[in-house]
Amino acid sequence: MRIATFNILHGRSPADDRVDVDRFATAVRGLNADVLGLQEVDRGQPRSLGADLTQVAADAMGAAEYRFAAALAGTPGLTWRAATGREQPGMAAYGIALLSRYPVLHWQVLKLPAPKVPVPAWRGRLRPQLVRDDEARVAVLATVQTPLGDVLIATTHLSFLPGWNAVQLTRVARRVAARVGPAIVLGDLNMGPGLARRLTRLEPLATQLTFPAHAPERQIDHILARGLPRTGRGEAVRLALSDHLALVVDLPDPDR
């Protein structure tokens, strides 16, 4: 069973600053994941040629089950706002997606808390800058029928703001902890492995540097789990798009 997470930068390649839908499909196909979490996913955005990137990914990997969850609705710089879930069909959106080749028994979308006051952020600066309006964040959870049994899988893309990403991950972790049985939390958590492990109380299935893609120096993309074998093989995969590497884990087949 191959599990993967990939922040796709809405399908854009920093090499040529273009979104090529066929290139994106080829990248997803090459991952050959059975379960795939995607972050920074566009639907109907002019910058990504109006494509539904979740559908493109589903077709490329042969996913029978998939769910896109909008964090933001509208077009960047114009009508960009937190999604409510009540947007008109076909409205441009941006968010995350979870895709599976295996049957899904139950889906859930979880809205995550956003800061209500300005928050200082350094982001490579000597002095902090006050961030007054961080983008909305969501998580997608699915109970997936896998060869290793029913597994609760959650994917998310958390805030870059220290502290707030911890609050958001704690919310996801509590929802996961409420269910008995194997579980996986994966995605771009915007934090290092030590903090991610402490907040979720889950074990990392892969420890690899994932960002920035051209010269990886830290791991902010994670696949953490409980109740699953830790003998799988994990790797960070460089693809022809995004400023992140994809993170992939192969879990052993229980029949072998």
Side-chain angles (χ1 to χ4, degrees):
M1 181 169 76
R2 172 167 270 215
I3 311 294
T5 182
F6 187 26
N7 181 323
I8 65 172
L9 192 66
H10 62 269
R12 180 166 62 88
S13 170
D16 58 15
D17 204 34
R18 293 177 51 247
V19 174
D20 182 319
V21 175
D22 290 335
R23 177 168 57 192
F24 170 63
T26 298
V28 171
R29 191 176 300 114
L31 285 174
N32 194 29
D34 296 304
V35 177
L36 174 63
L38 298 177
Q39 303 86 45
E40 298 196 13
V41 182
D42 276 359
R43 183 182 67 187
Q45 296 287 358
R47 67 184 182 183
S48 50
L49 311 178
D52 181 344
L53 294 182
T54 304
Q55 184 67 62
V56 172
D59 292 342
M61 66 180 277
E65 304 265 14
Y66 51 93
R67 182 67 55 92
F68 168 80
L72 297 168
T75 303
L78 297 175
T79 57
W80 206 234
R81 63 179 184 273
T84 65
R86 300 186 296 275
E87 286 75 25
Q88 293 294 322
M91 185 175 186
Y94 165 89
I96 62 173
L98 185 61
L99 306 95
S100 173
R101 290 171 173 169
Y102 305 125
V104 173
L105 299 175
H106 178 70
W107 290 100
Q108 183 181 10
V109 175
L110 177 65
K111 292 185 178 181
L112 301 177
K116 295 180 172 58
V117 297
V119 177
W122 277 259
R123 305 196 77 178
R125 299 180 177 91
L126 294 177
R127 295 171 180 257
Q129 178 185 29
L130 286 179
V131 176
R132 302 181 183 278
D133 189 21
D134 186 31
E135 66 186 54
R137 309 285 175 165
V138 297
V140 175
L141 298 89
T143 303
V144 183
Q145 289 184 303
T146 79
L148 299 173
D150 293 351
V151 181
L152 177 63
I153 301 177
T155 189
T156 190
H157 181 197
L158 301 182
S159 174
F160 65 87
L161 295 171
W164 273 106
N165 52 22
V167 170
Q168 293 166 345
L169 184 55
T170 298
R171 181 71 59 88
V172 175
R174 286 175 180 167
R175 189 60 58 93
V176 170
R179 182 191 181 278
V180 176
I184 296 172
V185 172
L186 56 83
D188 177 356
L189 305 185
N190 265 315
M191 66 179 70
L195 183 57
R197 181 177 182 177
R198 289 196 299 274
L199 291 173
T200 62
R201 299 185 179 182
L202 304 177
E203 296 298 321
L205 295 182
T207 304
Q208 303 284 338
L209 303 179
T210 62
F211 184 85
H214 69 280
E217 59 184 26
R218 54 198 171 112
Q219 179 176 4
I220 58 175
D221 305 273
H222 301 277
I223 302 175
L224 306 114
R226 70 161 189 250
L228 291 169
R230 294 184 60 197
T231 56
R233 182 174 59 87
E235 62 178 325
V237 180
R238 190 184 307 275
L239 298 166
L241 62 135
S242 184
D243 54 347
H244 289 243
L245 302 183
L247 189 65
V248 177
V249 171
D250 288 301
L251 295 177
D253 188 330
D255 295 329
R256 292 183 181 177

